[in-house]
């Protein structure tokens, strides 16, 4: 979109928040870059230039606006809706792969050379993987500076910087303030460090957002010990690269309150990325709803609760295991099966609030389980043990940068993986916005009530007009049933 100057200028002049994260406005006279909805008086069109990423702005010598804080805008929805190598690279960079494994590690996951990945990202985003990761490190540093009392040296290394000098130079370059000035400014603005080592921040999203199906689904399917709904917040444990954490997510008007307790602050970037992905916060609800509303049978459902998101996951491998446990059983039975696995194979953790007890077991921990100990039909035991073995030995990789088509093929080759399981994993674990579940019981009931075709083949053909947003159509169709997944818990 950043190449469409006329459209970008209109968005800036109207201060349209829907385009935050789609592009960034750099002002040639002030050398500042902003989000489209910046509250200041818009500059003259001749003084505006547009970039596809904050990293590209920074690389061109612009610094972040102190009013609109463009570095904290929602991520571009483009990377969630696409399956090409650039989109996959962006999802992996957001999950911290470059910080952990470097550009060669990113390239290896994508199946390209490092030079090819660099060239593709530069062509489309105006910045290479190192610049994109650097921009992300700067934002992580800002969060730690403003929300914790960590010494600046610890902030620098926790944010992923290799030296304190690089940290200081980057913060000054990106924000036009020294780290100490950022902390003082936050204190004057009323921001206080989290209590008991917790990090409190706001996760922005594009309006509208209807939280009922999102948090209702997560609460209704919560695995005891790993997840819970408490005092208006969804809480769960997180397995992270350097340790573990506990997050509490509370829906608010205009943002999601996020409170993180981490055993290692180096995991902050990954924790934030996974929480945003869990709640599908980088979606473009206006584009989704506009497409689905064009179908007269879906329009009333969209109008009743616009902005529904797809509840996703913080760990694709965990969700795949839970999807197998949920085959052909009720939500309550699936939770019971998962809770047994957690108690037997999960790692115990301490929760100051007392509700959470374990991390969900890793694939490696589950690879050695005794099939006879599972209270499941024999065929499902085979499905589960085959899945965890493939995940543990690396022959099946479920991650943010996975190729959706390839993973579907690999899953379908496993015993017991029918179309429903493959598509629900594609929808919630891989984040494919066009995944569809025509054989799902709730979808079939909704189709019957709305007058949609009854057979899976006919319904799939009818759903072609909902592309590329069929996963969101599923969320609206599920609302036809009065099920707990559609409502915020009391």
């Amino acid at each position: 979109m950043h190449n469409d100057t006329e459209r970008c200028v209109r968005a800036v002049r109207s201060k349209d928040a829907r385009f935050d994260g789609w592009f960034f406005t750099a002002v040639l006279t002030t050398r500042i870059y902003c989000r489209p909805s910046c509250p200041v008086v818009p500059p003259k069109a001749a003084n505006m230039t547009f970039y596809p990423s904050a990293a590209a702005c920074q690389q061109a010598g612009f610094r972040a606006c102190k009013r609109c804080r463009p570095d904290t805008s929602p991520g571009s929805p483009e990377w969630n809706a696409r399956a090409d190598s650039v989109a996959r690279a962006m999802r992996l960079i957001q999950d911290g792969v470059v910080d952990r494994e470097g550009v060669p590690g990113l390239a290896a996951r994508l199946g390209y050379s490092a030079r090819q990945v660099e060239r593709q990202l530069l062509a489309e985003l105006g910045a290479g993987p190192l610049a994109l990761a650097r921009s992300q490190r700067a934002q992580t540093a800002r969060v730690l500076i403003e929300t914790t009392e960590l010494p600046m040296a610890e902030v620098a290394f926790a944010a992923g910087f290799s030296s304190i000098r690089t940290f200081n130079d980057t913060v000054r370059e990106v924000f036009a303030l020294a780290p100490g000035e950022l902390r003082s400014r936050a204190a004057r603005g009323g921001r206080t460090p989290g209590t008991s080592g917790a990090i409190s921040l706001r996760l922005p999203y594009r309006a509208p957002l209807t939280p009922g199906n999102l948090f209702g689904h997560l609460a209704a399917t919560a695995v005891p010990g790993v997840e819970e709904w408490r005092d208006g917040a969804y809480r769960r444990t997180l397995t992270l690269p350097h340790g573990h954490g506990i997050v509490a997510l509370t829906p608010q008007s205009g943002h999601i309150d996020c409170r993180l307790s981490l055993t290692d602050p180096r995991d902050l970037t990954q924790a934030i990325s996974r929480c945003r992905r869990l709640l599908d916060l980088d979606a473009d609800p206006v584009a989704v709803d506009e497409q689905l509303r064009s179908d007269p049978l879906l329009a009333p459902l969209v109008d009743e609760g616009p902005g529904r998101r797809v509840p996703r996951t913080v760990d694709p491998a965990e969700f795949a295991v839970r999807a197998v446990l949920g085959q052909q059983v009720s939500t309550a039975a699936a939770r019971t099966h998962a809770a047994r696995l957690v108690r037997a194979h999960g790692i115990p953790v301490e929760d100051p609030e007392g509700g959470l007890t374990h991390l969900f077991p890793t694939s490696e921990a589950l690879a050695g389980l005794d099939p006879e100990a599972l209270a499941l039909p024999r065929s499902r035991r085979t499905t589960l043990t085959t899945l965890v073995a493939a995940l543990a030995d690396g022959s099946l990789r479920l991650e943010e940068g996975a190729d959706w088509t390839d993973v579907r093929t690999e899953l379908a080759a496993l015993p017991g993986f029918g179309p429903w399981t493959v598509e629900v994993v594609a929808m919630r674990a891989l984040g494919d916005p066009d995944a569809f579940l025509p054989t799902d019981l709730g979808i079939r009931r909704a189709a019957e009530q709305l007058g949609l075709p009854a057979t899976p083949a006919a319904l799939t053909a009818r759903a072609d007009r909902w592309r590329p947003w069929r996963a969101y159509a599923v969320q609206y169709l599920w609302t036809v049933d009065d099920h707990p997944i559609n409502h915020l818990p009391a």
Side-chain angles (χ1 to χ4, degrees):
M1 180 179 173
H2 70 285
N3 291 320
D4 189 341
T5 301
E6 185 179 343
R7 189 180 179 198
C8 289
V9 169
R10 286 201 307 268
V12 171
R13 286 176 174 168
S14 63
K15 304 185 187 302
D16 196 334
R18 293 177 301 168
F19 294 102
D20 287 354
W22 275 105
F23 69 91
F24 295 85
T25 306
V27 185
L28 299 173
T29 50
T30 61
R31 306 302 296 175
I32 288 172
Y33 74 94
C34 303
R35 60 170 80 193
S37 64
C38 184
V40 302
V41 177
K44 294 179 180 178
N47 293 330
M48 287 189 271
T49 187
F50 306 102
Y51 290 92
S53 66
C57 294
Q58 294 162 17
Q59 197 155 267
F62 296 90
R63 64 182 186 273
C65 173
K66 296 173 185 175
R67 289 285 301 279
C68 68
R69 299 179 59 156
D71 50 298
T72 63
S73 62
S76 173
E78 199 169 4
W79 315 128
N80 289 340
R82 287 167 44 182
D84 57 76
S85 58
V86 172
R88 291 167 57 205
M90 285 301 296
R91 291 196 288 270
L92 287 168
I93 291 170
Q94 288 167 357
D95 197 49
V97 167
V98 171
D99 288 333
R100 296 194 303 272
E101 304 174 18
V103 177
L106 172 68
R109 290 181 182 233
L110 296 171
Y112 293 99
S113 69
R115 181 178 296 180
Q116 204 168 1
V117 171
E118 179 93 22
R119 187 168 58 247
Q120 289 175 338
L121 290 174
L122 277 171
E124 187 156 345
L125 288 160
L130 288 176
L132 291 162
R134 175 179 177 267
S135 177
Q136 185 163 273
R137 282 195 294 273
Q139 171 56 16
T140 300
R142 183 172 197 162
V143 172
L144 289 170
I145 289 168
E146 294 182 340
T147 64
T148 74
E149 294 179 327
L150 286 174
M152 291 302 176
E154 292 186 32
V155 169
F157 295 116
F161 290 97
S162 58
S163 71
I164 297 173
R165 180 177 180 178
T166 304
F167 160 72
N168 287 329
D169 291 345
T170 300
V171 170
R172 285 195 183 96
E173 180 183 337
V174 173
F175 304 116
L177 291 169
E181 292 173 314
L182 268 180
R183 182 163 282 174
S184 298
R185 184 184 175 94
R188 289 196 301 271
R191 298 190 191 94
T192 56
T195 58
S196 304
I199 300 171
S200 298
L201 60 148
R202 293 182 172 190
L203 303 180
Y205 59 77
R206 293 176 185 82
L209 181 143
T210 297
N213 79 301
L214 184 58
F215 287 91
H217 203 122
L218 295 173
T221 59
V223 177
V226 174
E227 305 165 285
E228 69 170 0
W229 180 265
R230 175 184 291 201
D231 299 330
Y234 166 76
R235 302 178 71 242
R236 72 154 291 152
T237 58
L238 302 170
T239 300
L240 297 163
H242 300 100
H244 68 267
I246 293 176
V247 65
L249 299 164
T250 307
Q252 302 286 1
S253 177
H255 68 276
I256 303 294
D257 271 344
C258 175
R259 187 162 52 88
L260 280 162
S261 298
L262 304 173
T263 56
D264 192 320
R266 288 180 295 173
D267 287 324
L268 178 61
T269 298
Q270 289 77 19
I272 293 174
S273 173
R274 293 177 190 187
C275 289
R276 292 193 64 81
R277 190 162 177 79
L278 170 72
L279 302 180
D280 194 17
L281 296 185
D282 290 330
D284 183 355
V286 175
V288 172
D289 289 353
E290 182 180 2
Q291 174 77 12
L292 299 182
R293 197 179 276 114
S294 65
D295 187 325
L297 294 181
L298 285 188
L301 302 179
V302 176
D303 291 337
E304 185 178 343
R308 293 189 184 275
R309 302 301 207 269
V310 177
R312 292 180 176 167
T313 182
V314 296
D315 185 340
E318 171 192 316
F319 183 81
V321 170
R322 292 171 61 171
V324 170
L325 296 176
Q327 289 177 334
Q328 300 177 341
V329 298
S330 66
T331 299
R335 294 178 66 206
T336 299
H337 291 316
R340 289 172 182 159
L341 279 188
V342 167
R343 289 193 297 270
H345 302 280
I347 298 175
V349 297
E350 291 187 9
D351 176 12
E353 298 183 30
L356 305 177
T357 60
H358 289 79
L359 299 174
F360 196 87
T362 63
S363 304
E364 291 75 16
L366 293 176
L369 60 80
D370 178 9
E372 299 302 321
L374 299 172
L376 298 170
R378 185 171 299 278
S379 60
R380 201 161 313 141
R381 293 182 206 169
T382 302
T383 301
L384 181 62
T385 54
T386 305
L387 170 67
V388 296
L391 290 169
D393 66 20
S395 58
L396 174 64
R397 296 190 70 165
L398 300 179
E399 59 184 10
E400 284 73 9
D403 184 288
W404 298 334
T405 301
D406 290 349
V407 172
R408 276 183 168 91
T409 301
E410 292 166 359
L411 288 174
L414 298 177
F417 268 78
W420 181 88
T421 311
V422 170
E423 287 300 304
V424 79
V425 170
M427 180 173 71
R428 296 193 57 196
L430 304 181
D432 184 351
D434 202 37
F436 190 52
L437 309 174
T439 61
D440 181 81
L441 180 59
I443 299 301
R444 287 161 51 197
R445 287 176 176 168
E448 182 180 354
Q449 292 191 41
L450 296 176
L452 289 164
T455 65
L459 182 56
T460 300
R462 177 65 167 72
D464 196 60
R465 66 180 67 183
W466 305 334
R467 287 187 156 180
W469 310 117
R470 293 185 301 176
Y472 294 88
V474 167
Q475 309 309 311
Y476 286 109
L477 290 171
W478 273 339
T479 65
V480 174
D481 252 355
D482 186 22
H483 192 282
I485 65 170
N486 295 315
H487 311 289
L488 280 173

